[in-house]
């Protein structure tokens, strides 16, 4: 059974930093492309960013609102995904979900793949407030 | 970024009703559209991918259709477990993977 368990959320002041973790099990994590998706309280879903598997280059892509402030990384030896969030703003307040990119359900161009998300963690709440 | 617009934002329906939710893209996304169901306090669940393909384990009362810029999610006979919020998501490119604003299906 696929399990994704996020941790590391909490209250942080504007301008501060926080690192989220996502522990994965039930599938071959090293082969997976992984994303973070967030949801502000009472609002819709927003894709944050993605990391490819190391086999496919291990590169990252980010949504415009977080580019340059957030960094996604992975430790395949620990089956863990990370989201380092710096220079946090009040508008970053949200539940952050770790997800798997459903490669077989997407499509791949010569340079990348574009996918929906098939497995989700339970989410971890990040509150940015003074 | 490609903008995704869902309508209606809220829908009141009764058990047994046929329900249709619409999602429009600001430019053509071919058939690269997914639908999710989200219940309060829970993570979203993938229902439909590639506009009309049913995810494994999803009841057959759910169906999707459309291509280009206009898409629909239909629930053929609404069940008590289906009261939730539904989101569409385009995955045409990483210029931005974007979601619709959501449609809340409420009990009439």
């Amino acid at each position: 059974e696929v399990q994704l368990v996020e941790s590391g959320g909490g209250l942080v002041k504007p301008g501060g930093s926080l690192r989220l973790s996502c522990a994965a099990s039930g599938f071959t994590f090293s082969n997976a492309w992984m994303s973070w998706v967030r949801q502000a309280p009472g609002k819709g879903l927003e894709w944050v960013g993605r990391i490819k598997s190391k086999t496919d280059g291990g590169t990252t892509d980010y949504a415009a609102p977080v580019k340059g402030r957030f960094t996604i990384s992975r430790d395949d030896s620990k089956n863990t995904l990370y989201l380092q969030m710096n220079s946090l703003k009040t508008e970053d307040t949200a539940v952050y979900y770790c997800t798997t990119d459903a490669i077989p359900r997407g499509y791949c161009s010569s340079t990348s793949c574009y996918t929906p998300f098939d497995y989700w963690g339970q989410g971890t709440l990040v509150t940015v407030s003074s | 970024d490609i903008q995704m617009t869902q309508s209606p934002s809220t829908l009141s329906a009764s058990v047994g009703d046929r329900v249709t939710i619409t999602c429009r893209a600001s430019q053509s996304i071919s058939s690269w559209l997914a639908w999710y169901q989200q219940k309060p306090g829970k993570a979203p669940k993938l229902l439909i991918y590639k506009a009309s393909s049913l995810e494994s384990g999803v009841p057959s009362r759910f169906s999707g259709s459309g291509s280009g810029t206009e898409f629909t999610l239909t629930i053929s006979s609404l069940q008590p477990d289906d009261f939730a919020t539904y989101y569409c998501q385009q995955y045409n490119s990483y210029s931005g993977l974007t979601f619709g604003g959501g449609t809340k299906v409420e009990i009439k």
Side-chain angles (χ1 to χ4, degrees):
Chain A
E1 179 195 4
V2 171
Q3 280 203 313
L4 299 170
V5 180
E6 300 94 336
S7 60
L11 176 63
V12 60
K13 289 181 167 51
S17 297
L18 205 60
R19 189 177 83 157
L20 306 183
S21 299
C22 170
S25 60
F27 63 103
T28 306
F29 179 76
S30 60
N31 291 344
W33 293 27
M34 303 292 295
S35 284
W36 290 94
V37 175
R38 68 183 180 182
Q39 186 170 35
K43 302 296 184 183
L45 300 164
E46 180 183 27
W47 175 74
V48 171
R50 179 276 305 270
I51 187 166
K52 296 180 182 179
S53 65
K54 284 194 167 57
T55 303
D56 292 313
T59 55
T60 52
D61 294 284
Y62 299 95
V66 308
K67 198 168 187 178
R69 299 188 299 123
F70 289 12
T71 301
I72 298 173
S73 61
R74 62 192 301 157
D75 185 338
D76 291 343
S77 68
K78 295 182 178 179
N79 287 352
T80 300
L81 178 73
Y82 301 101
L83 178 63
Q84 176 68 44
M85 303 184 292
N86 298 330
S87 304
L88 281 161
K89 306 176 181 180
T90 55
E91 53 263 41
D92 295 320
T93 294
V95 173
Y96 284 74
Y97 295 102
C98 163
T99 72
T100 54
D101 287 17
I103 300 288
R105 292 159 183 72
Y107 85 98
C108 295
S109 68
S110 57
T111 55
S112 195
C113 294
Y114 312 108
T115 78
F117 311 108
D118 50 0
Y119 294 101
W120 298 64
Q122 85 288 351
T124 187
L125 177 62
V126 173
T127 303
V128 184
S129 175
S130 54
Chain B
D1 285 6
I2 299 173
Q3 307 303 317
M4 306 301 293
T5 304
Q6 282 184 241
S7 60
S9 55
T10 306
L11 186 160
S12 297
S14 301
V15 172
D17 283 353
R18 182 182 181 87
V19 166
T20 299
I21 298 168
T22 298
C23 179
R24 289 187 175 87
S26 60
Q27 63 189 73
S28 178
I29 57 170
S30 185
S31 296
W32 305 116
L33 184 101
W35 289 98
Y36 300 84
Q37 177 193 67
Q38 187 179 33
K39 295 181 179 179
K42 300 293 187 183
K45 173 187 173 183
L46 179 64
L47 300 176
I48 302 278
Y49 61 94
K50 205 176 177 185
S52 61
S53 296
L54 198 66
E55 179 70 352
S56 176
V58 174
S60 59
R61 62 181 179 273
F62 291 91
S63 64
S65 64
S67 66
T69 62
E70 187 149 338
F71 302 86
T72 59
L73 173 70
T74 299
I75 309 172
S76 60
S77 177
L78 197 65
Q79 298 302 301
D81 191 48
D82 301 337
F83 292 97
T85 300
Y86 294 83
Y87 293 94
C88 61
Q89 177 226 337
Q90 68 80 18
Y91 51 100
N92 186 66
S93 79
Y94 272 120
S95 63
L97 294 177
T98 48
F99 293 86
T103 295
K104 185 175 183 180
V105 177
E106 296 182 328
I107 300 172
K108 191 172 185 179

